[in-house]
Amino acid sequence: MEERTATLPGGTAMPLLGFGTWRLKGDDAYRAVLHTLEAGYRHLDTAQLYGNEESVGRALADSGISRQEVFLTTKFAQHHPGKEHATLSRSLERLGVEQVDLWLMHYPLKDPGEHLAVWDAFLDAAEEGMATAVGVSNHSLAQLDTLTEATGQMPQVNQIRFNPALYDPRLVTGHRARNTVLEGHSPLRKPGLDHPVLTEIAETHNATSAQVVIAWHLAYQVAVIPRSAHPERISSNLHAARLHLAPADIARIDALSRQPSGTARTRNRQGA
Ligand SMILES: NC(=O)c1ccc[n+]([C@@H]2O[C@H](COP(=O)([O-])OP(=O)(O)OC[C@H]3O[C@@H](n4cnc5c(N)ncnc54)[C@H](OP(=O)(O)O)[C@@H]3O)[C@@H](O)[C@H]2O)c1
């Protein structure tokens, strides 16, 4: 399997194609993650808020795959400022690991002082070795800059909603300029996998629309974490890493953000 990775500023290799676990619970989460690892994924995305860290950790342990081979992300629910260390300790316990590869602040906090204090605690957690890399989620470029200006430490990853309907080249270049990996969540939601542009491109490559969307993210070096509860889709989404789109395909997909179905872009809470 072809592997595509981003190298985080600290040197950690992050596979660009991972598996998202939101809404997968209990044994469903366990089975999906186990299949994911058997299929060849080496990047898992969970969160304290998903309520499935224990199932993800159990599947990781039962897979027999060595911990070092799997890039593991969890996120801190922003409602608990001041309890970062204890919260991460509990996440590690549920996941059954000594550290995560990436710990993300799930959302920015409204209070600027609290927001900075949480980021400071994240930097401490990285120093203590509880997280190899630290980053944020659902942050604008301006919010990234605020954290960096205050601490001198740029978030290594920003996980934001990103898909063809939300494509904004300023987001791609803005993250690149800051050396922050842009990770897209909810990649398959908009403009819909039945959109004719996606189905046409898929047909020319003998692929699925989901594979086309995932390959489009990878073409931009944007990390992408599609979720599915179905083994055949989990496997087929991974095979998108073998699909190379032509520049003309990429341009057609980019243009979807400028069509009426792309009006969701104005609702992208991260903005540019
Ligand atoms: N940081 C944040 O605030 C945030 C927010 C949202 C999500 N996330 C992360 O991003 C991950 C992905 O986003 P998401 O879960 O919102 O949605 P998504 O991955 O964009 O889409 C998931 C949906 O697509 C369907 N699907 C998957 N593969 C398919 C295929 N090959 N063909 C047809 N349908 C397919 C799934 O249905 P089936 O299960 O029926 O296959 C599911 O309904 C999450 O799981 C989570 O880890 C983070």
Side-chain angles (χ1 to χ4, degrees), residues 19-24 45-47 50 75 104-107 137-138 159-161 163 184-190 193 208-211 214 225-230 232-234 236-237 269:
F19 183 69
T21 64
W22 181 41
R23 291 189 167 162
L24 296 171
D45 181 84
T46 181
Y50 301 168
K75 311 184 193 81
L104 299 178
M105 192 192 310
H106 211 138
Y107 287 96
S137 179
N138 301 307
Q159 185 183 110
I160 60 174
R161 190 180 304 165
N163 54 47
H185 70 65
S186 311
L188 306 178
R189 286 167 170 260
K190 300 270 177 162
L193 296 177
T208 67
S209 296
Q211 288 172 329
I214 295 164
I225 44 173
R227 159 185 57 99
S228 176
H230 294 99
E232 66 288 356
R233 288 179 175 176
I234 291 172
S236 126
N237 290 348
R269 75 184 100 189

Side-chain angles (χ1 to χ4, degrees), residues 25-46:
K25 300 271 192 197
D27 284 345
D28 289 343
Y30 172 82
R31 277 190 294 271
V33 172
L34 198 56
H35 178 75
T36 295
L37 292 168
E38 281 163 3
Y41 288 78
R42 292 295 179 265
H43 172 175
L44 301 172
D45 181 84
T46 181

Side-chain angles (χ1 to χ4, degrees), residues 87-106:
T87 303
L88 180 53
S89 294
R90 278 201 298 276
S91 284
L92 296 179
E93 217 171 280
R94 284 191 291 264
L95 287 162
V97 298
E98 309 234 311
Q99 73 270 113
V100 283
D101 299 284
L102 178 63
W103 194 35
L104 299 178
M105 192 192 310
H106 211 138

Side-chain angles (χ1 to χ4, degrees), residues 14-205:
M14 172 184 183
L16 285 175
L17 176 51
F19 183 69
T21 64
W22 181 41
R23 291 189 167 162
L24 296 171
K25 300 271 192 197
D27 284 345
D28 289 343
Y30 172 82
R31 277 190 294 271
V33 172
L34 198 56
H35 178 75
T36 295
L37 292 168
E38 281 163 3
Y41 288 78
R42 292 295 179 265
H43 172 175
L44 301 172
D45 181 84
T46 181
Q48 182 193 356
L49 285 176
Y50 301 168
N52 62 14
E53 289 175 315
E54 190 273 336
S55 304
V56 171
R58 200 157 44 89
L60 178 57
D62 290 354
S63 71
I65 295 164
S66 112
R67 168 70 190 92
Q68 288 67 37
E69 281 185 46
V70 181
F71 185 94
L72 182 60
T73 301
T74 195
K75 311 184 193 81
F76 171 74
Q78 70 285 356
H79 329 293
H80 305 294
K83 297 192 177 149
E84 296 81 5
H85 189 281
T87 303
L88 180 53
S89 294
R90 278 201 298 276
S91 284
L92 296 179
E93 217 171 280
R94 284 191 291 264
L95 287 162
V97 298
E98 309 234 311
Q99 73 270 113
V100 283
D101 299 284
L102 178 63
W103 194 35
L104 299 178
M105 192 192 310
H106 211 138
Y107 287 96
L109 283 90
K110 288 206 176 81
D111 180 288
E114 277 188 351
H115 190 212
L116 271 182
V118 172
W119 182 237
D120 261 332
F122 266 57
L123 297 174
D124 289 346
E127 240 172 61
E128 280 180 54
M130 296 169 83
T132 313
V134 286
V136 296
S137 179
N138 301 307
H139 279 52
S140 66
L141 293 175
Q143 286 167 328
L144 292 182
D145 290 341
T146 302
L147 297 179
T148 310
E149 278 156 23
T151 62
Q153 301 280 335
M154 175 61 79
Q156 295 185 30
V157 173
N158 186 20
Q159 185 183 110
I160 60 174
R161 190 180 304 165
F162 191 84
N163 54 47
L166 295 173
Y167 174 64
D168 180 345
R170 291 170 303 172
L171 282 176
V172 176
T173 54
H175 283 84
R176 227 175 256 160
R178 287 162 178 78
N179 208 17
T180 294
V181 172
L182 169 52
E183 179 172 34
H185 70 65
S186 311
L188 306 178
R189 286 167 170 260
K190 300 270 177 162
L193 296 177
D194 57 353
H195 193 288
V197 168
L198 298 177
T199 55
E200 274 169 41
I201 295 172
E203 208 175 312
T204 62
H205 290 279

